[in-house]
Amino acid sequence: MSAGPWLRRILLVLLAALFAYSLSDVGLLETDRLQRGVQNTGRFLRGLFPPAWDVLPDVARAAGETVQIAFIGTALGLVLALPLSVAASPAITGRGVALTIRLLLAAVRTVPALLWAIIFVVAVGLGPAAGSLGVAMYSLGYMGKLFSEAFDGVDPEVLEAVRGTGLGRAQLARYALLPEAANQLLSQLLFMFEYNVRSSSIMGFVGAGGIGYYLLGYVQTLRYQELTTALLVTLVVVLAIDRLSAVVRAAFLSGRV
Amino acid sequence: MSVHLEPATESLPPAPHAEPAVLARGVWFGYHPRRPVLRGVDVTARAGEVTVLLGASGSGKTTLLKLIKGLLATGQGEITVLGRSSRAGGRPSALDARVAYIPQQLGLVRNLSVLDNVLVGAMPRIGTARSLLHWFPRDEIVAAHAVLQSLGIGNKAAERVLSLSGGERQRVAIARALLQRARVIVADEFLSQLDPVTTDEIMTVMHQIAAQGVALVMTTHELDVVTRHADRVVVLRDGLKALDCPAAEVTSDSLARAIRQ
């Protein structure tokens, strides 16, 4: 028998051992704790109903702010990511510059959105401005990566043929790279917006605006019925944004826009 | 149908006996140092003529076209295109608008309109700032419409390329080359996805363009294209030139033998 199957078995055993060790290490094998957890969850779930509708106006206003944070953050992220990802395309700027910008984008990506929000709370103070800037930086990192990968996927034959007409790099980006990748860019932009609506809903945890402020406050003060209202509003907003994205995506891809 | 040419090419008289538009001498090239694709090939293409490169897959046709356009750097030997010569490592035609390149899949930008694809050919004349702002001079737009009209797709100018048929896309690629004011058109297998009737139509157009002073160098697998439309035929076999003669002197059978021998 070759070494392949044995190696696979050893790897599986090691993986199982690591899983069991980690399970124990994080406390998920403590039966007392798990029993308490089940009881607490039952109490928590019972406490969620009925929703407290009197907080609806406040919560709805905060949900609107959450969408605004996501919208502004995504738009600012797009404005920053688009030129940088074009510059991160070896077809436009050459390997050296492209690699440097990709490293820069990777560095931006290593910082989570919530941490960016904390940094901007320190910089510009509490409120949705900090949340918007945090979302923008996070979006820059991710859209920069996704866009440059979309550009990498553009048919080199198209770039060769268009470049061969004597175009400069900026013209090549404007009339070949961007339009050829447009469908993917739009799809990724909408995905980013959907994702940002979700991530903006916890920006309030660190004082960066939106519905997160209420979500955290209701949990901390054990106001579970109010929490249900906030969660339901968040759910409705997220579903509505997903649906809107799907409509925009379909309209664009079918050539109606 | 008569094809409208841009002024720079229109003013050129057909000059079949003038200095060749493309002159390749002793060209060696390999993607891997020990496996040369071309082994000392000589090819001449003149203005006013349709020169067809034939050969089995892997015989070096596409490589030779890419060398002529400057998409690959010359290995050994010398390639002179429109008077600009390139030796080892050079590729002077890469950004030369006078040398148009139509790849097998045509190299059109599918999400752009037909008109914008054609205007790409005029952009080096328009300048960066104006073209980035999509602010094209009126005469270039008129010229683009005239070229499309003469190629029979004037009514498609506003449509996106992705909604066109194969034959219409072919015409857009030709229109772009014409707006480029190309004096050499290098076309790689660009008839491969067309039915025989459309192939005939496109080749009639290409012949009209060549007759107005343009050198057309193209590859194909269609032997009929050579006997019906070519002025000169070059057969490549295993990186060597197996045949080079006026198209009038060959038949489909003799070509098939030259390719396979």
Side-chain angles (χ1 to χ4, degrees), chain A residues 155 157-168 170-171 174-176 178-183 252-257, chain B residues 69 71 94-97 99 101 103-112 120 123-124 127-128 131-132 134 136 160 176 180:
Chain A
D155 186 354
E157 199 180 76
V158 173
L159 296 180
E160 277 179 353
V162 174
R163 184 116 170 93
T165 62
L167 291 198
Q171 291 168 313
R174 164 82 168 83
Y175 286 97
L178 286 167
E180 274 293 284
N183 292 356
F252 188 84
L253 295 183
S254 65
R256 278 181 280 139
V257 176
Chain B
K69 176 54 194 166
L71 297 175
L95 296 177
D96 188 343
V99 184
Y101 173 62
Q104 188 170 1
Q105 303 298 326
L106 306 176
L108 297 172
V109 184
R110 289 162 299 175
N111 264 332
L112 283 185
V120 160
M123 278 183 200
T128 305
S131 60
L132 288 180
H134 203 266
F136 299 113
R160 283 204 278 182
R176 180 174 68 188
Q180 221 174 301

Side-chain angles (χ1 to χ4, degrees), chain A residues 35-254:
Chain A
Q35 258 174 1
R36 247 192 346 266
V38 170
Q39 285 165 2
N40 285 343
T41 308
R43 206 171 304 137
F44 173 67
L45 288 175
R46 276 194 302 278
L48 287 173
F49 296 99
W53 295 114
D54 56 316
V55 295
L56 187 61
D58 288 343
V59 166
R61 214 174 7 256
E65 191 176 84
T66 299
V67 175
Q68 283 178 321
I69 292 170
F71 181 63
I72 296 294
T74 311
L76 288 177
L78 172 69
V79 168
L80 296 170
L82 206 55
L84 279 176
S85 54
V86 167
S89 168
I92 302 295
T93 51
R95 275 166 196 263
V97 175
L99 187 66
T100 309
I101 292 171
R102 280 174 192 227
L103 283 173
L104 180 76
L105 290 170
V108 171
R109 228 169 22 248
T110 55
V111 181
L114 215 53
L115 192 51
W116 277 119
I118 291 171
I119 292 169
F120 284 112
V121 164
V122 173
V124 300
L126 292 167
S132 303
L133 292 173
V135 170
M137 287 306 287
Y138 185 76
S139 304
L140 161 65
Y142 267 92
M143 283 199 284
K145 176 185 164 66
L146 294 172
F147 287 1
S148 53
E149 282 173 1
F151 295 144
D152 289 345
V154 170
D155 186 354
E157 199 180 76
V158 173
L159 296 180
E160 277 179 353
V162 174
R163 184 116 170 93
T165 62
L167 291 198
R169 292 164 198 269
Q171 291 168 313
L172 184 68
R174 164 82 168 83
Y175 286 97
L177 206 63
L178 286 167
E180 274 293 284
N183 292 356
Q184 259 182 292
L185 299 190
L186 180 86
S187 191
Q188 285 153 354
L189 177 66
L190 290 171
F191 168 78
M192 198 73 226
F193 179 52
E194 290 166 29
Y195 181 88
N196 283 343
V197 171
R198 289 176 177 82
S199 73
S200 299
S201 65
I202 58 164
M203 285 294 155
F205 287 15
V206 295
I211 201 166
Y213 171 77
Y214 289 91
L215 291 171
L216 188 69
Y218 292 148
V219 170
Q220 284 176 334
T221 55
L222 309 181
R223 295 168 67 191
Y224 295 150
Q225 290 171 315
E226 285 81 356
L227 177 66
T228 306
T229 310
L231 287 172
L232 284 174
V233 168
T234 308
L235 180 73
V236 167
V237 167
V238 166
L239 289 178
I241 296 292
D242 280 7
R243 185 74 207 121
L244 184 70
S245 285
V247 170
V248 172
R249 191 178 284 124
F252 188 84
L253 295 183
S254 65

Side-chain angles (χ1 to χ4, degrees), chain B residues 169-204:
Chain B
R169 289 182 191 198
Q170 232 84 9
R171 287 173 160 85
V172 178
I174 295 166
R176 180 174 68 188
L178 291 179
L179 214 69
Q180 221 174 301
R181 298 177 180 169
R183 290 178 55 202
V184 174
I185 298 179
V186 178
D188 187 14
E189 301 277 355
F190 85 132
L191 304 170
S192 61
Q193 288 164 15
L194 297 184
D195 61 79
V197 175
T198 315
T199 298
D200 253 2
E201 287 175 11
I202 295 290
M203 280 314 298
T204 304

